[in-house]
Amino acid sequence: MTKQTLARLLEQQPYAADFFKQNKLDISGFEQLTPAEYLAHFSPEELEDRALEPERLLADLALYLEQMRDFLGLDEQQPLRTLTILPGRDKAGQAEDFERLTLHTSEIVSIVGPTGSGKSRLLADIEWAAQGDTPTGRRILINDAPPDPQWRYSSRHKLVAQLSQNMNFVMDLTVQGFLQLHAESRLHPDPAAVTREIMTAANRLAGEAFALDTPVTSLSGGQSRALMIADTAILSASPIVLIDEIENAGIDRKRALELLVAQDKIVLMATHDPLLALMANRRLVINNGGICQVLTTSPAEKAKLGQLQQLDAVIAAARQQLRRGQRLS
Amino acid sequence: MNLTIVSGPPSSGKTAVILKTIAALKSRGVKVGVVKFDCLYTDDDKAYAEAGVPVQKGLSGALCPDHFFASNIEEIVRWGKQSELDLLITESAGLCNRCSPYLKQVKGVCVIDNLSGINTPRKIGPLLKSADLVVITKGDIVSQAEREVFAARVSSVNPRALILPVNGLTGQGAYELSTLLYNPDLQVETVQGMQLRFPMPAALCSYCLGETRIGQAFQLGNVKKMDLGEPEA
Ligand SMILES: Nc1nc2c(ncn2[C@@H]2O[C@H](COP(=O)(O)OP(=O)(O)OP(=O)(O)O)[C@@H](O)[C@H]2O)c(=O)[nH]1
Ligand SMILES: [Mg+2]
């Protein structure tokens, strides 16, 4: 396959272009050569100057192309339907008191427990698809079977996407450029269409609308959060989304969760905000490194959620009045 | 004894990641020591000593730190064996991104951070390209999309490396990294006769030898000139 000319390679596997670009290899004018012939045109001095090793590059190219083909095929091959956690031990060595915990796509589960109680360890167990080989001894099953090692080792196909309050945009790009870049790195067939889709979704979540030409670093907190959630829901390859709190300002959190669920994600949400925690149907209580209870949200709690949402609406309305310079009625 | 060579741009999180990894290894009864290589200054030895980790430091001063590394690694390995370590980790800051301290038969880990910008994987040479394991830090402060793009770019320049996100502050991912660094069946007795993965650049121009004066007349040896093209009228 790397015996083909560069022109043919790029025609059949256009993502090869990024390999050359990231490795600073300018192939323009050499399209009629094979990769090996192209690399052979460098003199020994040029190779040393540019720190290039032709043999390694050729092997890397073959591996890269193989990985990209796998990556493109994955979405269709094995969609995740269930995530199962088999119990392990807490920090005192006590067995966790549940038999097996199966989460389904489009399900929201909240995680509660004091700081340092083991929320990150639980998350890391899921991220790493633990097989009894982490300090908790937990095991993770995907679709009721031990997971394919690709979940652990492939850099492009991670089980878990994360959203937290501390996350910021650091790239010097407009919203449009940012989404375009992400779509290209995901090998999305239609970056323009998915960019529009994410923009529409993000603006439905954000209190104040923003435009495609806004630099990502000048978005407000609520707008950043909205864009991150819409982008993760629609464009991230990870089937599980972990949320570490979503603050209540400038973003419609109910719609945000609905969007993630509509994209068939499993949502795990660490939160102590009752409005969020009760939106989940189940919640895991973590203590001393172990899952000590799995609670199903009761009808009484759902009724309580209704009351809390009304209270929240009263506060939100008052905030809005203040912002407009009005007196509180 | 196992040996691991950790390298990466300044302040990328090497020490933070190594300390969290050592904590995970200690809980499994593995004895770890560290040698820090730097150029002019480092406080890392104090951080390791505070954590109760046997540590040595080497400042290369007027020399390239990676050249200095190559000249000292044999003695360092001897020190590690005499100290009865199960695992010796070396930490060096990559400075010019051209040299890299990795040896062919020894696990090489590159630590880079999400904050350094998505064009960084392209700018770092053998330090990233020839690592066996790439640890990406500071994912806790950038967006999911930026993490994904960054990891994809690392994977384009080094498709054979295993890429592992590790949080240097919380240690998330460090336990997993520790399982990839220590293998009790693997024993390094000496590094004598081992080879660097990538040759260091041919140096030795007048300035390598202490010349300070500027001008053609003072330039001898391996001198390279920029091609500035024709002046525009
Ligand atoms: N937010 C965040 N900060 C981190 C992370 N990892 C490291 N840091 C911080 O980054 C700074 C540099 O970390 P070090 O571990 O000293 O980096 P280093 O690569 O050892 O630096 P040198 O040895 O001086 O080249 C410290 O302030 C760390 O606390 C991370 O995952 N997230
Ligand atoms: Mg350090």
Side-chain angles (χ1 to χ4, degrees):
Chain A
M1 155 261 324
T2 47
K3 304 264 183 299
Q4 301 165 336
T5 62
L6 290 165
R8 206 159 155 68
L9 178 65
L10 289 175
E11 185 188 309
Q12 292 184 343
Q13 303 182 66
Y15 43 79
D18 199 52
F19 179 85
F20 295 111
K21 186 170 169 206
Q22 297 304 328
N23 282 288
K24 290 176 300 200
L25 296 168
D26 182 5
I27 53 173
S28 56
F30 298 97
E31 286 85 352
Q32 295 319 313
L33 302 183
T34 66
E37 288 166 351
Y38 164 71
L39 289 171
H41 96 279
F42 289 109
S43 69
E45 290 74 32
E46 281 174 308
L47 292 178
E48 195 199 329
D49 246 20
R50 307 169 56 145
L52 296 176
E53 281 178 309
E55 270 166 40
R56 174 153 182 137
L57 273 169
L58 284 176
D60 280 358
L61 172 62
L63 191 62
Y64 169 84
L65 294 172
E66 188 187 319
Q67 288 169 357
M68 295 308 262
R69 280 194 303 274
D70 285 353
F71 178 61
L72 280 173
L74 271 173
D75 292 344
E76 298 95 62
Q77 273 168 29
Q78 20 177 260
L80 176 140
R81 294 181 312 275
T82 59
L83 166 80
T84 302
I85 304 170
L86 299 179
R89 309 170 287 277
D90 68 11
K91 283 179 197 157
Q94 288 284 332
E96 288 177 303
D97 187 20
F98 63 92
E99 258 176 39
R100 63 194 275 146
L101 185 66
T102 298
L103 317 183
H104 299 263
T105 47
S106 301
E107 185 175 353
I108 305 171
V109 174
S110 58
I111 304 175
V112 296
T115 311
S117 60
K119 284 183 279 191
S120 337
R121 185 63 253 165
L122 172 63
L123 185 67
D125 282 351
I126 297 174
E127 204 174 16
W128 186 241
Q131 291 306 302
D133 53 0
T134 66
T136 61
R138 288 188 190 116
R139 293 202 301 131
I140 302 296
L141 305 180
I142 302 291
N143 300 340
D144 293 318
D148 190 308
Q150 56 106 350
W151 290 116
R152 211 175 244 202
Y153 296 125
S154 154
S155 65
R156 294 176 194 268
H157 220 248
K158 290 263 168 234
L159 261 181
V160 180
Q162 294 195 44
L163 291 162
S164 91
Q165 296 286 64
N166 298 335
M167 289 173 187
N168 288 295
F169 293 116
V170 293
M171 274 182 207
D172 193 11
L173 286 174
T174 62
V175 173
Q176 163 121 46
F178 171 80
L179 291 174
Q180 174 90 21
L181 185 71
H182 191 197
E184 281 168 8
S185 125
R186 280 279 284 114
L187 305 181
H188 195 280
D190 192 349
V194 77
T195 297
R196 279 194 303 276
E197 190 189 343
I198 293 172
M199 266 312 269
T200 310
N203 272 321
R204 287 191 67 226
L205 306 182
E208 289 166 295
F210 55 94
L212 273 174
D213 59 2
T214 314
V216 285
T217 46
S218 56
L219 297 171
S220 73
Q223 290 169 330
S224 295
R225 221 56 64 212
L227 181 58
M228 280 184 205
I229 292 171
D231 168 76
T232 300
I234 295 169
L235 205 44
S236 170
S238 305
I240 301 169
V241 178
L242 180 98
I243 300 178
D244 194 359
E245 297 284 5
I246 318 178
E247 72 188 30
N248 199 9
I251 177 162
D252 186 330
R253 300 188 294 176
K254 188 151 175 284
R255 278 190 184 165
L257 291 178
E258 284 163 2
L259 172 66
L260 289 163
V261 160
Q263 300 288 329
D264 297 336
K265 303 286 186 188
I266 292 176
V267 180
L268 288 157
M269 188 168 50
T271 182
H272 291 146
D273 182 331
L275 283 177
L276 281 179
L278 296 180
M279 271 184 224
N281 279 327
R282 287 192 283 178
R283 67 181 182 272
L284 313 182
V285 185
I286 313 238
N287 192 26
N288 198 29
I291 299 176
C292 62
Q293 284 190 84
V294 182
L295 300 174
T296 302
T297 309
S298 66
E301 284 174 328
K302 284 283 180 194
K304 187 92 194 164
L305 174 63
Q307 288 171 22
L308 292 171
Q309 278 168 339
Q310 281 171 10
L311 268 176
D312 186 54
V314 171
I315 293 174
R319 193 182 288 129
Q320 192 69 316
Q321 283 177 317
L322 280 178
R323 188 179 289 144
R324 293 198 186 119
Q326 296 166 348
R327 285 199 172 277
L328 296 193
S329 49
Chain B
M1 185 180 75
N2 279 205
L3 176 62
T4 292
I5 298 173
V6 177
S7 193
S11 299
S12 58
K14 299 178 291 296
T15 303
V17 167
I18 294 172
L19 281 171
K20 294 287 182 193
T21 309
I22 291 179
L25 287 164
K26 258 192 186 163
S27 67
R28 298 189 347 246
V30 179
K31 186 173 177 197
V32 190
V34 176
V35 180
K36 169 67 197 256
F37 288 93
D38 217 315
C39 192
L40 295 176
Y41 178 81
T42 183
D43 262 344
D44 285 357
D45 50 326
K46 290 188 196 128
Y48 289 116
E50 238 165 67
V53 177
V55 60
Q56 290 283 344
K57 85 171 154 181
L59 291 179
S60 62
L63 294 174
C64 159
D66 286 320
H67 288 236
F68 181 71
F69 171 94
S71 326
N72 282 279
I73 184 67
E74 194 185 348
E75 289 77 2
I76 288 299
V77 166
R78 212 175 297 136
W79 168 78
K81 288 202 59 97
Q82 280 160 1
S83 313
E84 297 184 327
L85 302 178
D86 299 313
L87 170 63
L88 172 62
I89 300 179
T90 68
E91 175 190 338
S92 6
L95 292 179
C96 69
N97 296 336
R98 175 57 176 80
C99 296
S100 81
Y102 308 130
L103 302 180
K104 276 186 181 153
Q105 299 87 333
V106 173
K107 188 155 287 167
V109 181
C110 179
V111 179
I112 56 175
D113 73 286
N114 275 296
L115 282 183
S116 61
I118 51 164
N119 289 325
T120 297
R122 201 184 303 170
K123 291 186 209 155
I124 305 181
L127 188 64
L128 175 63
K129 276 190 195 182
S130 59
D132 301 302
L133 248 162
V134 179
V135 169
I136 307 182
T137 58
K138 306 188 191 176
D140 52 325
I141 39 187
V142 306
S143 67
Q144 176 68 25
E146 285 159 298
R147 286 192 294 278
E148 288 181 13
V149 173
F150 194 84
R153 295 209 165 169
V154 167
S155 177
S156 300
V157 296
N158 187 348
R160 50 182 104 177
L162 243 148
I163 298 176
L164 210 65
V166 176
N167 183 325
L169 296 184
T170 65
Q172 192 174 325
Y175 182 89
E176 288 71 13
L177 174 62
S178 77
T179 63
L180 301 172
L181 290 194
Y182 181 66
N183 175 357
D185 301 331
L186 225 151
Q187 291 299 334
V188 175
E189 295 301 325
T190 169
V191 287
Q192 195 181 29
M194 284 192 184
Q195 259 192 316
L196 286 168
R197 283 200 193 172
F198 208 90
M200 308 231 173
L204 280 188
C205 67
S206 328
Y207 301 106
C208 298
L209 296 170
E211 180 60 74
T212 55
R213 291 166 297 177
I214 301 296
Q216 189 111 46
F218 309 109
Q219 296 168 353
L220 295 167
N222 196 347
V223 176
K224 188 175 154 186
K225 293 290 186 185
M226 290 162 70
D227 179 5
L228 298 172
E230 290 299 312
E232 284 170 44

